[in-house]
Amino acid sequence: MPTDCISYQESGYFTSLINDYLNQKPDVQSLYHRFPTLENFEKQLLEKEKNFNSSDNLKRKTLVSALEKQYSKLNVSDLTKLNIQALGSSKTFTITTGHQLNLFTGPLYFLYKIVSTINLTKQLKLKYPEYNFVPVYWMATEDHDFEEINYFNLHGKKVRWNTESGGPVGRLSTQGLEEVFEIFSLELGIGKNAEYLKKLFHESYVNHTNLADATRFLANELFGKTGLVILDADTPELKKIFIPHAKEELLKQTSYQKVMETSEKLKDYNIQVNPREINLFYIEDDFRERIILQNGYYYINNRELKFTQSEIVQLLENHPEKFSPNVIMRPLYQEVILPNLCYIGGGGELAYWLELKSYFEASDVTFPILLLRNSVLLATEKLAKKADKLNLTWKDLFSKQQDLMNAKVKTFSEFPIDFTEQKAFLRKQFDDLNEMANQTDKSFIGAVKAQEVKQIKGLDNLEKRLLKAEKKKHQEELERIADLQNELFPNKSLQERIVNFSEFYLGYGDVLLDKLFEELNPLEQEFKVVVL
């Protein structure tokens, strides 16, 4: 089977900003604190230890207490219990990933984020045995974009939860998921792995009353034995710790000022998110709306709610749970309440984190190490053998399909289809003609140039016709290549962004997760191909 490796930069699926970050280009070095290497974690540890533990131990006690409440009704592994208790110690730090509450985990990369996080804590423990490292999954319970999370794909079909939500999704009732369970069960069919998946879905969603509890149960069932700690930060006691930063936001709008300054440094890239004047929402169970400062009053968007400055500050101090950080402030909230060293996320997430370093500095909070999560292409043994038979490397299969077809036709052909040499020869002739025209009659220069364009275009057309003829001749083999690529890259996109884990669990059961834990190295900048 193919054995070549593909770097993230070579895969073609990451933006120029992320590629420049991975390459540690000078232009982006001011946007992050430390690059993710094992050695750099020592400095990060010492800095976070000083920054996080400089106050009394209230933060850690509050965190442990909140987690104990959230886990009170779950079957908790001994390792997770130990990790929760360890968070009370000044020698314990977290590695965190975050994810939306996608129905039944959503796309495959949910698994990769968490496996990357757990595997990194293991590597750090070996390197720095005097410290404890706890993997944390931060549930995005306060998000309100329900349309992004209310479905997953199985066997090319969408399994969708048809309901409505305008508030924070973690508080959303799971009513209606019994019908989704029935549809899902029929699609799974029979067998030991199918029965496990049915049971997992039913116990997660039908047996729990809100989406936060359902997702916590699901993630705990999949990863609890590894010591993963799952956190829902939508709680009054944790929000209370964040009051000083929320107050700063309401009164001085620091995040807007700092992120706008950083945006100027990113003007040559596509900006991931743009800050608002106030980057806080006001939330209730059934809505999450922006706070707008206008003419000295604080308005709640789309609601008949208005506060003076003193009223909104008093509301914050008495009811911090009514204030929800948006995408700009959520990272700060995370780093304020967690003794966190590193955030692991996808390319889109890291792009907006790279806008935030100056805001963290202004808030006197240590900016975490940013690590691009493991990306994975899962392939069956059968598909890997097909690739071998077709003389395809994994790098070939990551190519755009049209480019791959053209490249393979040129290798199949008995004669060269590339007219580069002929075009170069032709251009040399026209260079000579141009020189003659310059020395004799400059009025001929335009005519010479027009003739050059015409003849080069003629060679281009001949090349295309020859390529088309050869494609027809090798149509059967090209179709096999396209079929293989379409299986590995559904909808010509990354498998990890589309397919749900249940599709592979049906065939491989626990081997799926075992294989991921075995093969994923979070500090390698490599798109991993895992053959099952």
Side-chain angles (χ1 to χ4, degrees):
M1 66 186 65
T3 56
D4 57 317
C5 301
I6 306 102
S7 71
Y8 293 135
Q9 297 94 314
E10 291 175 316
S11 72
Y13 284 96
F14 293 91
T15 64
S16 58
L17 175 58
I18 296 304
N19 287 336
D20 286 354
Y21 171 64
L22 294 173
N23 292 327
Q24 302 180 63
K25 290 281 185 72
D27 288 351
V28 298
Q29 285 180 359
S30 66
L31 303 177
Y32 61 92
H33 194 33
R34 295 186 177 92
F35 196 74
T37 65
L38 268 181
E39 292 69 30
N40 277 346
F41 273 93
E42 183 175 8
K43 291 177 183 176
Q44 191 74 16
L45 271 164
L46 296 173
E47 184 179 344
K48 188 68 178 184
E49 186 173 24
K50 182 180 178 182
N51 180 282
F52 193 82
N53 295 327
S54 58
S55 60
D56 60 20
N57 211 25
L58 178 63
K59 281 184 185 179
R60 288 185 179 274
K61 287 179 181 176
T62 304
L63 178 61
V64 171
S65 174
L67 285 165
E68 286 175 339
K69 286 178 190 173
Q70 292 177 18
Y71 272 87
S72 62
K73 295 179 182 178
L74 282 182
N75 182 17
V76 190
S77 72
D78 290 341
L79 188 50
T80 295
K81 285 178 185 175
L82 282 172
N83 278 343
I84 291 172
Q85 290 305 311
L87 287 167
S89 164
S90 62
K91 291 295 183 183
T92 298
F93 296 90
T94 61
I95 304 297
T96 302
T97 193
H99 198 69
Q100 295 169 297
L101 308 191
N102 295 72
L103 187 60
F104 211 51
T105 75
L108 273 162
Y109 68 80
F110 171 82
L111 300 188
Y112 308 154
K113 277 184 167 184
I114 293 178
V115 172
S116 297
T117 303
I118 293 165
N119 278 357
L120 181 57
T121 61
K122 293 176 181 176
Q123 287 181 280
L124 290 171
K125 185 63 178 173
L126 289 173
K127 179 74 174 175
Y128 306 103
E130 66 273 28
Y131 293 96
N132 302 310
F133 303 94
V134 174
V136 171
Y137 161 39
W138 177 290
M139 295 196 297
T141 53
E142 295 178 59
D143 279 6
H144 60 268
D145 197 342
F146 183 63
E147 292 300 313
E148 288 188 1
I149 68 165
N150 69 344
Y151 70 94
F152 61 94
N153 296 304
L154 178 62
H155 301 143
K157 301 174 187 175
K158 268 190 169 60
V159 179
R160 188 182 295 276
W161 178 16
N162 292 311
T163 191
E164 292 184 3
S165 171
V169 293
R171 305 182 193 181
L172 180 63
S173 167
T174 53
Q175 190 174 355
L177 281 168
E178 299 92 338
E179 290 82 358
V180 178
F181 171 69
E182 296 301 328
I183 294 166
F184 180 49
S185 296
L186 288 172
E187 188 63 40
L188 287 174
I190 59 172
K192 178 185 172 184
N193 293 337
E195 291 307 312
Y196 171 76
L197 290 170
K198 291 174 192 176
K199 181 184 176 191
L200 182 61
F201 189 100
H202 193 277
E203 289 185 349
S204 298
Y205 294 101
V206 181
N207 291 358
H208 290 89
T209 58
N210 65 59
L211 194 54
D213 289 346
T215 305
R216 184 187 297 107
F217 179 89
L218 174 61
N220 186 61
E221 284 296 303
L222 290 172
F223 295 104
K225 65 182 180 182
T226 66
L228 180 70
V229 172
I230 303 152
L231 176 63
D232 176 4
D234 184 16
T235 63
E237 58 265 50
L238 293 174
K239 290 282 180 74
K240 188 176 180 181
I241 297 171
F242 196 60
I243 287 175
H245 300 281
K247 187 176 179 180
E248 171 87 7
E249 181 68 9
L250 291 169
L251 301 183
K252 298 182 181 177
Q253 296 84 56
T254 305
S255 67
Y256 177 80
Q257 297 164 28
K258 292 300 177 182
V259 176
M260 287 303 292
E261 288 171 13
T262 303
S263 296
E264 182 61 25
K265 297 178 183 178
L266 287 163
K267 62 185 177 183
D268 294 331
Y269 300 98
N270 289 324
I271 301 294
Q272 188 69 18
V273 293
N274 290 301
R276 298 191 182 276
E277 189 176 0
I278 292 179
N279 292 287
L280 286 169
F281 288 98
Y282 181 96
I283 58 170
E284 298 285 358
D285 287 348
D286 57 349
F287 72 89
R288 183 178 186 240
E289 292 287 355
R290 289 190 292 118
I291 300 173
I292 300 168
L293 178 59
Q294 193 173 336
N295 300 323
Y297 287 94
Y298 295 83
Y299 294 86
I300 307 305
N301 195 42
N302 296 321
R303 291 292 184 276
E304 293 182 2
L305 289 170
K306 182 175 84 170
F307 303 94
T308 64
Q309 185 181 98
S310 60
E311 286 171 342
I312 203 162
V313 168
Q314 186 176 14
L315 181 66
L316 171 64
E317 289 173 347
N318 293 336
H319 295 283
E321 71 277 7
K322 291 185 181 293
F323 294 81
S324 174
N326 75 353
V327 67
I328 294 290
M329 286 194 74
R330 189 211 67 77
L332 186 73
Y333 179 38
Q334 171 189 297
E335 297 301 311
V336 165
I337 66 172
L338 288 178
N340 195 50
L341 301 175
C342 172
Y343 183 76
I344 297 179
E349 290 175 281
L350 263 55
Y352 73 72
W353 274 88
L354 289 169
E355 296 180 49
L356 303 177
K357 182 167 174 275
S358 64
Y359 173 42
F360 270 70
E361 288 169 349
S363 304
D364 196 25
V365 176
T366 302
F367 195 65
I369 289 174
L370 301 178
L371 178 60
L372 188 64
R373 65 165 172 84
N374 284 114
S375 279
V376 180
L377 175 65
L378 293 176
T380 63
E381 190 81 40
K382 183 179 178 182
L383 290 180
K385 286 179 178 176
K386 276 186 183 179
D388 256 351
K389 280 187 179 179
L390 293 166
N391 291 316
L392 293 169
T393 65
W394 293 123
K395 191 172 182 180
D396 289 336
L397 288 162
F398 270 83
S399 306
K400 286 184 169 53
Q401 193 159 100
Q402 194 58 49
D403 294 343
L404 177 58
M405 297 297 107
N406 291 344
K408 295 314 288 185
V409 165
K410 289 174 182 178
T411 62
F412 295 153
S413 180
E414 295 173 3
F415 46 83
I417 306 176
D418 187 347
F419 287 1
T420 302
E421 189 177 325
Q422 288 82 351
K423 290 175 196 172
F425 179 72
L426 194 60
R427 287 192 177 97
K428 175 67 173 66
Q429 288 184 311
F430 276 101
D431 284 345
D432 294 341
L433 286 171
N434 272 311
E435 193 175 329
M436 288 171 59
N438 268 316
Q439 292 174 3
T440 53
D441 189 343
K442 292 184 180 179
S443 65
F444 283 118
I445 292 175
V448 171
K449 187 64 183 173
Q451 194 62 227
E452 179 183 1
V453 170
K454 182 180 177 182
Q455 292 198 32
I456 292 291
K457 189 175 181 182
L459 279 176
D460 284 338
N461 288 334
L462 286 173
E463 190 174 14
K464 286 174 185 174
R465 287 184 65 180
L466 192 56
L467 189 64
K468 188 176 179 181
E470 284 295 288
K471 278 184 179 179
K472 194 171 181 181
K473 181 178 175 182
H474 298 284
Q475 185 175 350
E476 189 178 324
E477 195 160 10
L478 291 174
E479 283 177 357
R480 289 203 299 273
I481 291 171
D483 288 345
L484 173 60
Q485 194 182 44
N486 290 340
E487 276 200 71
L488 293 169
F489 297 84
N491 300 334
K492 295 183 171 59
S493 183
L494 286 178
Q495 174 198 79
E496 64 178 31
R497 296 178 187 169
I498 294 178
V499 179
N500 182 260
F501 86 98
S502 58
E503 198 161 312
F504 285 94
Y505 194 93
L506 270 175
Y508 299 94
D510 291 340
V511 170
L512 172 63
L513 279 173
D514 292 344
K515 195 82 171 172
L516 292 176
F517 277 114
E518 179 187 331
E519 297 210 20
L520 300 195
N521 181 345
L523 295 175
E524 280 182 357
Q525 293 180 23
E526 180 187 310
F527 208 114
K528 192 73 178 178
V529 179
V530 174
V531 179
L532 297 168

